[in-house]
Amino acid sequence: MNLVSSEPVTNIAAQELSTMSIVSGYPVQFDFTKNATCIVNIEFDPKKTFRKTTTVVEELKNRSTLVQTSPEGTVYKYANIWVGDRGAGLPTSINSGFVEFKVEKAWIKDNNINETQVVLQRYDSDWQPLYTEKVGEDDNYIYFKSETPGYSFFAITEYTGQNLMNINGAEKKYRKP
C-alpha cells in the first residue's frame, strides 16, 4: 500500500501506522502501540469492505497546512488521521467512529486547563467539537475517547465555546472495550 500524506514532512512531529483488514459488518480497531503520537487507537464499524488497510496517524508541530483556520480554545496537539487510500475513513464508509487519545497531565497542570473541557475537534470545512469523555488515566496521561463521523484533521483542545453542553452526541455513552 502506498500511503502518501499531503502534509509537508516539515510539519510532522511524529507518525505511526497500523494495518488491519476491514470487512463490512465487522467492527475494526487500529491500535497505535508504539506510543509515538497522542492517538492511542481508532475504531469504527465499516459499511464497506476494504480488506488490508493501513491507517496513518500524524502528530503535527502546528495546525495542518491543509486547514485554513484554528479551532476555538487552547490547543494541546494537532493530528491527521488517514484511513487507507480508498476512502475507508470517510463518513460514507463508516458507522460509529471513535478516537481514543491521551493528554499529558503536566500540560493540563502547567496551562491551568480544566480537564472536563478537553475536547477533540474535527475539521470539515470548519472546526466541529466532538463529544469527548474521559476513559482513564495513569501517572503521566489522562485518556479520552471521542465519537467522530470520519477521519481527517483533528485538534485536541480545551474547548471554551459557549455551547459545551450542546456538542452533537453529548447524550451518548461509549461502549466499553
Side-chain angles (χ1 to χ4, degrees), residues 12-116:
I12 299 173
Q15 184 180 68
E16 190 168 350
L17 290 76
S18 179
T19 302
M20 302 276 305
S21 286
I22 297 177
V23 178
S24 177
Y26 293 91
V28 65
Q29 179 171 313
F30 290 86
D31 294 311
F32 303 99
T33 57
K34 294 180 182 174
N35 294 313
T37 72
C38 55
I39 305 300
V40 175
N41 66 55
I42 69 162
E43 62 182 277
F44 58 90
D45 294 327
K47 293 180 183 177
K48 302 176 183 177
T49 296
F50 290 92
R51 302 268 180 217
K52 187 176 180 181
T53 302
T54 299
T55 295
V56 178
V57 172
E58 299 167 334
E59 185 174 293
L60 305 178
K61 296 176 183 175
N62 299 295
R63 182 185 74 221
S64 173
T65 59
L66 307 171
V67 173
Q68 301 305 312
T69 62
S70 295
E72 188 172 336
T74 304
V75 175
Y76 172 63
K77 301 274 185 184
Y78 289 101
N80 294 335
I81 301 175
W82 310 114
V83 182
D85 62 354
R86 296 171 302 185
L90 297 176
T92 54
S93 299
I94 71 168
N95 288 315
S96 304
F98 296 94
V99 176
E100 186 173 335
F101 61 94
K102 60 186 179 184
V103 176
E104 290 175 285
K105 288 182 174 181
W107 178 80
I108 290 172
K109 182 181 178 193
D110 293 348
N111 291 283
N112 197 29
I113 301 296
N114 181 345
E115 76 175 58
T116 64

Side-chain angles (χ1 to χ4, degrees), residues 57 120 136 142 147:
V57 172
L120 186 66
I142 298 177
E147 186 170 5

Side-chain angles (χ1 to χ4, degrees), residues 104-164:
E104 290 175 285
K105 288 182 174 181
W107 178 80
I108 290 172
K109 182 181 178 193
D110 293 348
N111 291 283
N112 197 29
I113 301 296
N114 181 345
E115 76 175 58
T116 64
Q117 292 182 306
V118 171
V119 170
L120 186 66
Q121 295 190 54
R122 179 175 180 258
Y123 186 84
D124 182 19
S125 73
D126 64 353
W127 288 100
Q128 297 295 319
L130 304 173
Y131 177 66
T132 300
E133 182 174 273
K134 178 180 174 181
V135 294
E137 65 182 278
D138 61 25
D139 291 342
N140 299 314
Y141 295 97
I142 298 177
Y143 296 85
F144 298 90
K145 191 171 187 178
S146 297
E147 186 170 5
T148 183
Y151 298 97
S152 57
F153 313 102
F154 294 92
I156 300 167
T157 68
E158 178 189 37
Y159 184 71
T160 56
Q162 300 260 345
N163 297 319
L164 183 62

